[in-house]
Amino acid sequence: MNEFRARKRFGQNFLTDKRVIAALVAEIAPQQSDQVVEIGPGLGALSYALLPHLAQLEVIELDRDLAAALREKSTPGLIVYEADALQFDFSSLSTKMKCLRVVGNLPYNISTPLIFHVLSFAKQLRDMHFMLQKEVVDRLVAAPGSKAYGRLSVMVQYACQVECLLAIPPTAFHPVPKVNSAFVRLIPYQKPPHFAQDFQLFSAIVKQSFGQRRKTLRNVLRETVSLADFNAAHIDPGLRAEQLSVADFVRLSNNLGDSTCGKDSVR
Ligand code: SAM
């Protein structure tokens, strides 16, 4: 398997630095009874380092050859699903609340949709530990007003506590990627500190606001939010999306009047 040719289309950059792998395992701090699922085990660099600490490890791998190679080894405790993590029903792994721990050195080409997909199972999740392109981690932790702050920051920070744990250099991988990486921990809130009464509406407002992030909210939300709604939420309509905090977006969506023209259009 050492001669395995990495497939670019699957975002394959395999972890090879043993010290980095040990540092990731230390941050995850796996316990025997934990229910851990890994996205994209690849050649198993992280999987085989996690397994001695766990009763079992479930892994989801899209690449047929890699999934077959992992299965062939018949490693006790390793359960291999050959599947697309973007389509995977994580709730099928656990009916218990706040139980699943999701980890992975994610394929960078699909990391944002993957984060959104995994987050849709937040009720089942205890935490997530992801290796991501550093630029994506910057967006996850970004504060309002910064260049990196956007829809991903708002949606992830709405649902989770986010902590950047480690910066990882390109030399920790083979093939060596052109970008820097970082390891991040996401812990879903039991109940978000700022609670959107209508999550779909909140999500749609955030999406629409950042769709044209250089425009003022008055202009970009013209069809959705009336000036009375802005007033009720104490939001200046002359601001741009990047200037609003998570709490501001929640207040805006919670204060949309019933008569709001075009409200349905953002749902
Ligand atoms: N965990 C390994 C490591 O750290 O060495 C591999 C990480 S590599 C960056 C990403 C892995 O995700 C690859 O094994 C790739 O085949 C797999 N992958 C890519 N797209 C996937 C998807 N949609 N669902 C599941 N696995 C995927």
Side-chain angles (χ1 to χ4, degrees), residues 9-16 38-47 60-63 66 83-86 104-110 114 173:
R9 72 176 188 283
F10 290 146
Q12 292 174 350
N13 294 94
F14 301 111
L15 271 166
T16 49
E38 183 186 358
I39 296 174
L43 298 164
L46 184 58
S47 332
I60 305 164
E61 176 56 62
L62 180 62
D63 186 317
L66 289 175
D84 181 351
L86 277 172
N105 170 17
L106 298 189
Y108 292 177
N109 49 343
I110 55 162
L114 251 179
F173 307 86

Side-chain angles (χ1 to χ4, degrees), residues 113-123 125 128 130 152 155-157 159-160 186 188:
L114 251 179
I115 292 170
F116 275 108
H117 179 65
V118 177
L119 261 188
S120 69
F121 299 94
K123 283 199 185 92
L125 305 179
M128 292 155 269
F130 293 140
L152 183 67
M155 297 312 294
V156 170
Q157 290 173 25
C160 302
L186 310 177

Side-chain angles (χ1 to χ4, degrees), residues 1-266:
M1 222 36 212
N2 283 339
E3 306 100 54
F4 184 84
R5 283 224 358 241
R7 295 183 169 118
K8 219 174 165 179
R9 72 176 188 283
F10 290 146
Q12 292 174 350
N13 294 94
F14 301 111
L15 271 166
T16 49
D17 187 321
K18 292 206 163 32
R19 275 190 306 181
V20 168
I21 296 167
L24 303 188
V25 173
E27 290 292 353
I28 297 168
Q31 304 294 315
Q32 279 294 317
S33 59
D34 287 351
Q35 190 177 0
V36 182
V37 53
E38 183 186 358
I39 296 174
L43 298 164
L46 184 58
S47 332
Y48 293 122
L50 285 169
L51 255 173
H53 305 274
L54 296 166
Q56 70 165 44
L57 173 66
E58 292 167 289
V59 299
I60 305 164
E61 176 56 62
L62 180 62
D63 186 317
R64 198 195 309 170
D65 296 337
L66 289 175
L70 289 168
R71 277 206 190 104
E72 261 167 38
K73 288 192 178 172
S74 310
T75 310
L78 188 68
I79 300 164
V80 182
Y81 303 104
E82 185 193 319
D84 181 351
L86 277 172
Q87 309 286 333
F88 196 83
D89 178 6
F90 285 84
S91 66
S92 68
L93 300 182
S94 172
T95 49
K96 287 196 210 130
M97 304 292 269
K98 300 279 164 213
C99 184
L100 272 188
R101 307 192 70 196
V102 183
V103 305
N105 170 17
L106 298 189
Y108 292 177
N109 49 343
I110 55 162
S111 61
T112 301
L114 251 179
I115 292 170
F116 275 108
H117 179 65
V118 177
L119 261 188
S120 69
F121 299 94
K123 283 199 185 92
Q124 273 98 8
L125 305 179
R126 183 171 127 199
D127 57 25
M128 292 155 269
H129 287 83
F130 293 140
M131 179 79 78
L132 297 162
Q133 191 174 335
K134 163 95 175 30
E135 197 189 294
V136 175
V137 173
D138 290 344
R139 287 163 57 202
L140 291 179
V141 300
S146 64
K147 223 172 124 190
Y149 187 71
R151 179 178 167 230
L152 183 67
S153 329
V154 174
M155 297 312 294
V156 170
Q157 290 173 25
Y158 170 81
C160 302
Q161 206 180 310
V162 188
E163 192 183 353
C164 177
L165 302 168
L166 303 163
I168 314 288
T171 48
F173 307 86
H174 180 80
V176 177
K178 291 194 180 77
V179 294
N180 284 314
S181 301
F183 195 55
V184 69
R185 175 184 295 135
L186 310 177
I187 305 178
Y189 291 116
Q190 201 80 14
K191 186 177 176 193
H194 309 285
F195 185 70
Q197 284 148 19
D198 181 339
F199 179 77
Q200 299 305 326
L201 181 60
F202 161 74
S203 169
I205 293 271
V206 173
K207 189 174 183 183
Q208 197 175 343
S209 301
F210 283 103
Q212 293 166 289
R213 59 184 290 148
R214 304 308 304 163
K215 284 195 176 176
T216 62
L217 292 166
R218 181 195 294 116
N219 282 332
V220 75
L221 297 174
R222 188 178 290 281
E223 302 295 315
T224 320
V225 184
S226 69
L227 286 178
D229 292 329
F230 279 114
N231 274 339
H234 305 288
I235 307 275
D236 175 357
L239 295 176
R240 294 191 303 270
E242 66 206 38
Q243 294 170 286
L244 261 57
S245 65
V246 174
D248 291 334
F249 276 112
V250 167
R251 226 174 39 254
L252 190 58
S253 68
N254 284 352
N255 275 284
L256 283 200
D258 289 340
S259 61
T260 300
C261 155
K263 187 173 166 182
D264 285 343
S265 65
V266 295

